[in-house]
Amino acid sequence: MLFAFTGTDKPGQLDLRVATRPDHVAYLTGLYDTGVLKLAGPFIDGNGTPCGSMLVLEADTIEAARDILAGDPYAKVGLFAATEVRAWNWTFGKPAGN
């Protein structure tokens, strides 16, 4: 089952995001390489500055998805002011074979 995660950064935390990004990217790369992560990227504000994140991943249950997301370095350093995880049905733009 697919799950969509959205996270909104705490205000004034761009430096924390930038400092943690290499570990975050390494974590997501591992998830992508194993087929768990389907897509990901930052939300950006009107100035082009990252201000949150969106990920879609595959897991058996929402609890398993939350466990995977809790391992993300951004989550571990407390970057997000608010998060949401919801089951998601990939309807359009799905790559062949998925």
Side-chain angles (χ1 to χ4, degrees), residues 23-97:
D23 292 337
H24 167 73
V25 169
Y27 184 74
L28 294 187
T29 298
L31 294 177
Y32 185 79
D33 289 347
T34 60
V36 172
L37 181 66
K38 302 303 181 185
L39 58 95
F43 291 114
I44 54 172
D45 66 16
N47 297 317
T49 303
C51 61
S53 297
M54 186 183 93
L55 294 80
V56 174
L57 55 88
E58 188 168 7
D60 291 332
T61 64
I62 196 166
E63 293 82 10
R66 286 184 176 129
D67 287 345
I68 294 165
L69 293 161
D72 186 323
Y74 281 171
K76 287 182 174 185
V77 298
L79 176 64
F80 300 118
T83 62
E84 184 174 18
V85 181
R86 298 176 68 177
W88 186 67
N89 184 20
W90 197 343
T91 305
F92 292 97
K94 188 173 180 180

